[in-house]
Amino acid sequence: GQQVMQIPQYQHVQEGEDFTTYCNSSTTLSNIQWYKQRPGGHPVFLIQLVKSGEVKKQKRLTFQFGEAKKNSSLHITATQTTDVGTYFCALATGGNTGKLIFGQGTTLQVKP
Amino acid sequence: DTEVTQTPKHLVMGMTNKKSLKCEQHMGHRAMYWYKQKAKKPPELMFVYSYEKLSINESVPSRFSPECPNSSLLNLHLHALQPEDSALYLCASSPPGGNQPQHFGDGTRLSIL
């Protein structure tokens, strides 16, 4: 079945530094979703990308979908302590099932 | 505030007990999901209900029994669980169809003694 690989697994940054997490697939993705899970919390939907080469921004967060629709990235500019958590990419497998396949997640720690 | 409400928040049960997890949403979503999440791992899909009918069962052991009494409620009945079933159980909902964002509840943290 389809899989999506996410790297790195962990990232420790100093507050104010930038952060990027990457998702890669060996097959073409129909779309990709990004979720954030704070420590002790639940996943919260951030964004969905569907178009080749798509770039979307949410304040300090920039999401990209590769031209070949096989990879995606989330970049945070000037991290803050509120950015701490685990960021998951998730592949919606299409059809009408609503099934999501999650990447392994990248856990971000921010040192103040 | 989460729009998907799960109860209880914590549950400790023995291997011979029967208990139920409950999930409720009032967003008019017609797709509801159960996920299992172990520490430091991504959520793993267990069941999908679409229009109150079970559409996906990800080969989940029969000791987990889902139920969708109406479009707002989703239950997960538990019986004879094993210690390895200890995990965070997340409920989610979304509009029906593929490629929809999912709204998660806070989860039930389950411990099996």
Side-chain angles (χ1 to χ4, degrees):
Chain A
Q2 280 187 297
Q3 286 187 336
V4 57
M5 305 300 293
Q6 191 173 353
I7 56 170
Q9 189 174 1
Y10 297 99
Q11 185 83 56
H12 295 252
V13 301
Q14 198 72 37
E15 189 173 21
E17 292 181 338
D18 292 356
F19 159 77
T20 306
T21 174
Y22 301 90
C23 272
N24 297 291
S25 171
S26 57
T27 59
T28 301
L29 304 171
S30 57
N31 69 80
I32 198 152
Q33 299 180 10
W34 285 91
Y35 290 80
K36 176 184 179 181
Q37 186 171 19
R38 294 181 187 273
H42 58 275
V44 175
F45 174 78
L46 295 176
I47 210 155
Q48 177 168 266
L49 305 172
V50 296
K51 296 178 183 176
S52 169
E54 190 170 17
V55 178
K56 287 188 176 181
K57 293 192 175 186
Q58 290 179 352
K59 296 183 181 178
R60 295 178 294 104
L61 277 60
T62 302
F63 303 85
Q64 294 192 28
F65 204 6
E67 292 290 341
K69 299 182 74 173
K70 289 187 175 182
N71 58 76
S72 180
S73 65
L74 158 59
H75 180 83
I76 302 178
T77 303
T79 54
Q80 299 175 359
T81 54
T82 52
D83 296 324
V84 163
T86 301
Y87 293 85
F88 292 102
C89 60
L91 165 63
T93 55
N96 291 317
T97 66
K99 179 176 177 177
L100 286 180
I101 298 174
F102 282 83
Q104 290 300 303
T106 297
T107 298
L108 173 64
Q109 301 271 22
V110 179
K111 289 177 280 189
Chain B
D1 284 343
T2 182
E3 297 167 320
V4 177
T5 303
Q6 288 188 244
T7 56
K9 292 195 183 305
H10 301 274
L11 179 61
V12 179
M13 58 187 285
M15 289 190 283
T16 58
N17 292 157
K18 284 185 181 181
K19 296 286 185 183
S20 297
L21 309 184
K22 297 187 183 299
C23 175
E24 187 169 8
Q25 57 90 12
H26 293 289
M27 293 179 283
H29 291 166
R30 299 307 294 273
M32 296 186 77
Y33 312 81
W34 280 115
Y35 288 86
K36 174 182 177 180
Q37 187 177 29
K38 300 283 264 185
K40 302 187 188 301
K41 296 292 185 183
E44 291 178 42
L45 183 66
M46 300 173 71
F47 303 103
V48 179
Y49 273 83
S50 180
Y51 292 97
E52 295 87 69
K53 292 191 188 312
L54 183 66
S55 60
I56 294 180
N57 175 344
E58 291 286 279
S59 303
V60 179
S62 59
R63 58 186 183 267
F64 295 91
S65 175
E67 178 195 21
C68 190
N70 60 54
S71 60
S72 300
L73 293 173
L74 186 66
N75 299 320
L76 186 62
H77 303 297
L78 315 173
H79 174 55
L81 295 194
Q82 303 297 308
E84 60 266 27
D85 297 322
S86 297
L88 179 67
Y89 288 84
L90 293 161
C91 173
S93 71
S94 76
N99 306 337
Q100 300 287 348
Q102 294 185 13
H103 298 250
F104 286 81
D106 289 335
T108 294
R109 196 161 296 280
L110 177 65
S111 297
I112 307 299
L113 301 179

